[in-house]
Amino acid sequence: MQDTIEGYVDHIVFRNDDNGYTVFVMDVDGDDLTCVGSLQFVSEGEYLHMQGEYTEHPVYGEQFKIESYEIKVPEDADSIRRYLGSGAIKGIGPAMAKKIVTMFGEDTFRIMEEEPERLANVKGISQKKAMEISDQVQSKRDMRKAMLYLQQYGINLNLAVKIYKQYGQKMYTILQQNPYKMADDIEGVGFKMADEIASRIGIRTDSDFRIRSGILYVLTQASANGHIYLPKDELEHGIVDLLQLSEFNLDGHLMDMVIDKKIFVKDIDGVKCVYAANLYFTELNVANMLMELNISERVDESKLHKKILAIEERAGIVLDELQEKAVIEAAQNGFMVITGGPGTGKTTTINTIIKLFESEHMDIRLAAPTGRAAKRMSETTGYEAQTIHRLLEVSMGMQDDSPASNDSGGFDRNESNPLECDVIIIDEMSMVDIYLMNALLKAVVVGTRLILVGDVNQLPSVGPGNVLKDIIESEQFPLVRLNKIFRQAGESDIVVNAHRIHNGEVIDLKKRSKDFLYLDRDDANKIISATITLIREKLPAYVDASMNDIQVLTPMRKGSVGVERLNKILQEYLNPPSKDKKQEEIGDNIFREGDKVMQIKNDYQLEWEICSRYGIAVEKGSGVFNGDTGVIKSINKYMEMLEVEFEEGKIVKYSFKQADELELAYAITIHKSQGSEYPAVILPMLSGPRMLMTRNLIYTAVTRAKKCVCIVGSDREFQKMVDNTLEQKRYSSLAIRIKERKGE
């Protein structure tokens, strides 16, 4: 039950002008009380009627946390004088407030609003100053009215402030006619929130604004599932499910939205397909920029062969025919793609390409989508590699995962400030979505060689698009498919079985193996028990790694061996509660010092630093990205902060409020493991939804292991995954856009 209090704002201690969060001391019947909440427009001297709850802060003691409030207009002469004398109105201090109230008494506010010229009768107030005072009083009255109006529709204080700052007095018209406009204009307001507000206001469920906003929402949700567009029939089903409408003129709405350039409708193989405008243009831009990079130059092949031979002799290697072809294509073309599965010599090929370009004194940059992938690229090539985000230099203005911030507008390297190098090699390209590809290409000038490397059989990117696959399927660019398994790699059952999985062959899990182990367990609890034993006792010494380096991968978030259940159990056994370890319950998670955690969204604002052994910061930057893993080093309950050390020694401080960007990472989904490599991988294997238990999912999981894969569970379910070629259809059309560009 909420408490209700009233009193004067004595003085403001702190205010965040961006979100309105305010700490102030309130005079409640002569006693001071610290209050906190979002009160963007409240001034000292104002009388507030507030609802909320008393809380105990570990440092500052008792506080009143405000849930809702109302500013009461002072009515008696003493209250009016106190309010005006507080500084709430610029240009009026205590002495001037006393003069005004002495002259006008309880009629002061009416005079200020309706007859402001009379204020000039007070000594020290000119006509100009009188009008300025009137404007301020009017503005504060408008704000109070707006806050009351918004609160009656259940709009919280934070959002009410955002709405008023965005629209001012226009908000009444917007909310009464088209509250869905908020989803376009105000950060943090999506369709569902706007729809809830619209329902309270009484907007009709078949409102044109509601239907059009619903169309954009369904397309946005589709992009979150990887799609660039939706066929019109699927879009219609999504709208019906969302809006619960049986009849509406979809064609008419689509035509209006095309005219407004909110969407594009294109015909693909006789099917009408609908794009959100930003995704259509992003895909189109990528196609155009790829074609511009696709230039070739004449190279003396005899000289090139001699150089390659010299590199082979120095490195003690022998390239096969396809590897040599890849090196030659790299030397002859501005853009090319190298693809191949594990053990097919991608690393050797990349290293040879690097050495060739290095002999020509070219400036080479290496990058990959994730920190782990970049680290592995550095280890295998001996050259510095970085994430694509760091390569492009994340801008401090970049906000979140929205399409706009995934565009090159969030990077300091772009078309007006391109990368200054001769060659760029990107590894793990299957992970790169259309937004990141667009940002990368904007920073690459024509004449710079761009080489993309990846395994096209891996899972596609988490974000929208199917970039690597579409580029290959367009058949417009130089491509080399490496398919020979080299002898040393062929001795690894991880490599051999990965290729067998890709080919849909039967795999005998019971066959003895050094690096592809199988434990037959028939229920979830036995699987989990065996997993704990493997991590704590068996695998660390076997693969020469720590417990935290061993990764549990599972297809599902929910279920008896899903991420959510596994993490809670594994945490209790791998990092149990201890009087020596602080912990904090935040949302659905208990975070404990020593916990393995993962960042679950791109946050371009989070600052990190790398410190020397003496604790002195030697490097600083910003940006922590979806899939980055680390360990909680400390929890400070007083400061309400936790400190996480990520790979490369990056230290990041999270407030408890920011910790919703973290989750436990003892077990992660196979999707989240893309681009990573672990000394050992454990795969709990039980039945699950057919759409999740697919061949490319188990292929991706197996290829994440460097030294050992351990299947724990049912060999029958494992083989079912190998046999299941069902892949969720991903609607992308980059290949079509490229071919269109070629045909111009």
Side-chain angles (χ1 to χ4, degrees):
M1 184 171 173
Q2 288 188 328
D3 294 300
T4 300
I5 61 172
E6 292 187 351
Y8 289 98
V9 179
D10 186 77
H11 64 276
I12 291 172
V13 178
F14 167 80
R15 172 171 285 153
N16 183 323
D17 290 329
D18 291 331
N19 59 24
Y21 179 77
T22 305
V23 180
F24 66 93
V25 174
M26 189 169 199
D27 180 345
V28 183
D29 297 328
D31 295 324
D32 287 349
L33 174 65
T34 301
C35 301
V36 296
S38 182
L39 295 88
Q40 181 87 37
F41 302 106
V42 167
S43 304
E44 292 175 354
E46 290 185 311
Y47 191 82
L48 303 184
H49 175 89
M50 304 183 300
Q51 289 185 316
E53 61 179 354
Y54 288 95
T55 61
E56 189 71 25
H57 191 280
V59 175
Y60 304 113
E62 186 182 56
Q63 295 182 342
F64 189 76
K65 187 177 180 182
I66 303 162
E67 298 296 332
S68 63
Y69 72 97
E70 182 182 347
I71 301 172
K72 294 286 191 181
V73 179
E75 293 177 351
D76 62 84
D78 283 344
S79 297
I80 294 170
R81 180 176 50 76
R82 177 175 182 152
Y83 170 70
L84 292 177
S86 70
I89 304 296
K90 285 183 182 176
I92 299 179
M96 183 60 71
K98 185 176 181 181
K99 288 182 186 178
I100 293 170
V101 176
T102 299
M103 182 171 289
F104 300 116
E106 293 178 3
D107 208 24
T108 296
F109 279 119
R110 189 195 66 78
I111 296 294
M112 286 179 165
E113 291 175 11
E114 298 176 11
E115 303 176 71
E117 64 279 358
R118 290 179 59 187
L119 289 173
N121 295 332
V122 177
K123 189 176 179 181
I125 298 180
S126 65
Q127 282 287 347
K128 182 182 176 184
K129 188 173 180 179
M131 300 313 293
E132 288 174 354
I133 291 169
S134 178
D135 287 344
Q136 287 186 66
V137 171
Q138 186 74 35
S139 175
K140 286 181 176 289
R141 191 190 72 168
D142 290 344
M143 179 276 299
R144 286 195 299 270
K145 180 183 169 189
M147 293 296 110
L148 285 171
Y149 175 82
L150 294 169
Q151 285 181 43
Q152 72 176 323
Y153 294 119
I155 296 171
N156 65 42
L157 296 176
N158 271 328
L159 181 55
V161 167
K162 287 182 180 179
I163 293 169
Y164 188 70
K165 286 179 78 173
Q166 178 74 31
Y167 300 126
Q169 291 302 297
K170 293 178 183 175
M171 71 171 210
Y172 300 101
T173 304
I174 289 168
L175 262 68
Q176 289 296 332
Q177 293 182 359
N178 179 20
Y180 299 96
K181 190 173 182 347
M182 292 189 295
D184 295 333
D185 297 341
I186 300 175
E187 185 185 343
V189 178
F191 169 81
K192 294 209 167 179
M193 184 182 289
D195 199 39
E196 191 177 324
I197 293 168
S199 174
R200 291 178 190 147
I201 290 172
I203 301 294
R204 288 172 46 184
T205 56
D206 63 350
S207 154
D208 288 350
F209 294 122
R210 182 171 189 253
I211 293 169
R212 289 172 197 172
S213 185
I215 289 169
L216 292 176
Y217 178 77
V218 172
L219 290 174
T220 300
Q221 291 302 104
S223 74
N225 291 321
H227 302 302
I228 298 290
Y229 66 86
L230 280 181
K232 183 188 153 197
D233 287 349
E234 288 196 30
L235 174 63
E236 188 164 10
H237 288 312
I239 295 164
V240 169
D241 288 344
L242 175 70
L243 303 182
Q244 297 295 299
L245 292 176
S246 55
E247 290 186 18
F248 56 95
N249 180 12
L250 179 58
D251 286 330
H253 288 297
L254 293 180
M255 187 179 296
D256 289 341
M257 293 176 76
V258 168
I259 292 169
D260 291 341
K261 296 185 178 176
K262 296 280 188 184
I263 63 168
F264 279 81
V265 179
K266 294 288 178 181
D267 189 278
I268 299 178
D269 297 329
V271 177
K272 270 191 178 180
C273 299
V274 184
Y275 298 74
N278 68 307
L279 272 167
Y280 175 77
F281 283 120
T282 301
E283 201 175 59
L284 189 64
N285 287 342
V286 168
N288 289 337
M289 290 186 287
L290 284 172
M291 293 303 290
E292 287 171 3
L293 289 177
N294 190 29
I295 55 178
S296 58
E297 61 179 81
R298 295 178 67 86
V299 175
D300 187 326
E301 290 206 17
S302 62
K303 286 184 179 179
L304 189 55
H305 280 295
K306 287 179 182 176
K307 286 184 177 180
I308 294 171
L309 188 61
I311 292 169
E312 288 177 306
E313 287 176 356
R314 283 197 301 273
I317 59 170
V318 177
L319 300 181
D320 75 356
E321 187 179 336
L322 285 173
Q323 288 177 306
E324 186 171 345
K325 181 186 175 188
V327 178
I328 292 168
E329 293 281 10
Q332 291 178 332
N333 294 283
F335 174 69
M336 74 163 298
V337 177
I338 302 170
T339 187
T344 56
K346 293 194 298 293
T347 298
T348 301
T349 306
I350 292 172
N351 285 342
T352 307
I353 290 170
I354 291 170
K355 288 181 172 65
L356 175 66
F357 287 137
E358 197 176 41
S359 71
E360 301 287 337
H361 307 291
M362 289 185 175
D363 187 9
I364 306 160
R365 305 290 290 276
L366 309 182
T370 66
R372 273 185 178 267
K375 183 180 179 184
R376 192 170 80 248
M377 197 180 188
S378 294
E379 291 168 351
T380 55
T381 63
Y383 292 82
E384 182 191 359
Q386 55 194 152
T387 63
I388 299 173
H389 288 87
R390 288 193 76 182
L391 176 73
L392 297 178
E393 299 173 17
V394 173
S395 166
M396 283 299 290
M398 212 162 182
Q399 293 294 323
D400 51 27
D401 286 317
S402 65
S405 62
N406 276 297
D407 203 338
S408 59
F411 296 102
D412 288 338
R413 292 290 183 176
N414 48 45
E415 59 268 59
S416 58
N417 182 30
L419 292 163
E420 297 167 2
C421 58
D422 303 304
V423 182
I424 300 169
I425 304 174
I426 307 292
D427 198 9
E428 292 286 358
M429 261 304 298
S430 63
M431 294 183 66
V432 175
D433 66 24
I434 197 71
Y435 289 127
L436 189 56
M437 189 64 181
N438 186 45
L440 172 66
L441 291 173
K442 283 189 173 186
V444 179
V445 295
V446 175
T448 300
R449 283 180 169 82
L450 178 62
I451 300 166
L452 307 183
V453 184
D455 184 348
V456 76
N457 298 310
Q458 299 278 6
L459 290 169
S461 59
V462 174
N466 215 342
V467 175
L468 181 62
K469 187 176 181 181
D470 281 357
I471 289 172
I472 291 171
E473 288 186 354
S474 74
E475 299 180 339
Q476 301 302 317
F477 307 106
L479 166 70
V480 176
R481 292 180 187 268
L482 302 176
N483 52 31
K484 176 185 173 184
I485 302 177
F486 285 84
R487 184 183 61 79
Q488 188 174 356
E491 294 171 0
S492 162
D493 283 330
I494 295 174
V495 172
V496 171
N497 286 340
H499 286 274
R500 284 177 178 165
I501 290 167
H502 173 59
N503 295 328
E505 298 173 20
V506 175
I507 296 170
D508 182 9
L509 292 181
K510 293 173 182 174
K511 171 194 158 191
R512 288 183 66 83
S513 171
K514 291 181 179 178
D515 61 1
F516 209 92
L517 312 179
Y518 170 60
L519 298 179
D520 187 1
R521 298 292 185 273
D522 58 7
D523 75 39
N525 291 335
K526 290 177 182 176
I527 288 172
I528 295 170
S529 176
T531 298
I532 292 166
T533 301
L534 284 167
I535 297 173
R536 290 205 304 192
E537 300 173 21
K538 306 292 185 184
L539 286 177
Y542 189 66
V543 297
D544 189 25
S546 70
M547 287 196 304
N548 269 353
D549 289 329
I550 296 162
Q551 189 61 58
V552 179
L553 301 180
T554 177
M556 298 164 288
R557 289 197 61 81
K558 307 286 185 182
S560 57
V561 289
V563 164
E564 293 174 8
R565 181 169 187 246
L566 280 170
N567 270 322
K568 283 184 168 60
I569 296 171
L570 292 174
Q571 181 191 42
E572 288 304 297
Y573 284 90
L574 303 180
N575 188 33
S578 162
K579 63 180 182 180
D580 299 324
K581 296 177 184 175
K582 296 189 185 74
Q583 66 180 49
E584 183 70 22
E585 187 170 353
I586 303 174
D588 295 331
N589 289 307
I590 292 174
F591 290 118
R592 187 174 296 134
E593 290 175 345
D595 272 338
K596 183 178 177 181
V597 292
M598 173 180 279
Q599 175 80 10
I600 57 172
K601 63 172 281 190
N602 288 343
D603 190 326
Y604 304 94
Q605 299 297 307
L606 268 178
E607 296 181 359
W608 53 263
E609 60 182 28
I610 297 173
C611 296
S612 69
R613 59 193 293 187
Y614 304 108
I616 299 168
V618 294
E619 186 179 351
K620 293 184 178 183
S622 65
V624 183
F625 304 108
N626 190 355
D628 288 354
T629 55
V631 175
I632 297 177
K633 304 303 287 184
S634 66
I635 295 175
N636 188 324
K637 289 176 175 283
Y638 295 110
M639 298 294 290
E640 296 190 348
M641 302 281 288
L642 55 85
E643 191 175 77
V644 178
E645 182 176 349
F646 288 96
E647 288 167 351
E648 301 174 357
K650 291 180 183 176
I651 303 292
V652 179
K653 291 180 179 177
Y654 292 80
S655 69
F656 285 175
K657 286 184 178 179
Q658 291 173 309
D660 62 355
E661 296 183 10
L662 293 171
E663 67 180 22
L664 295 174
Y666 297 103
I668 64 174
T669 62
I670 296 168
H671 275 93
K672 289 283 190 184
S673 74
Q674 285 174 270
S676 297
E677 187 177 70
Y678 311 96
V681 163
I682 300 173
L683 302 175
M685 194 58 57
L686 271 183
S687 61
R690 183 167 161 75
M691 279 300 298
L692 284 177
M693 311 295 282
T694 62
R695 179 184 296 175
N696 69 336
L697 201 70
I698 193 68
Y699 174 83
T700 299
V702 165
T703 56
R704 298 307 88 203
K706 186 176 183 180
K707 295 181 179 178
C708 181
V709 170
C710 192
I711 314 291
V712 185
S714 163
D715 58 345
R716 187 178 63 257
E717 293 301 330
F718 177 86
Q719 193 60 46
K720 274 187 186 177
M721 286 189 78
V722 174
D723 295 339
N724 182 11
T725 57
L726 184 68
E727 288 184 35
Q728 186 175 0
K729 173 66 178 172
R730 181 168 281 215
Y731 297 116
S732 64
S733 50
L734 179 59
I736 295 170
R737 301 283 91 85
I738 290 169
K739 288 175 182 175
E740 286 174 352
R741 177 71 164 74
K742 177 72 173 177
E744 287 177 1

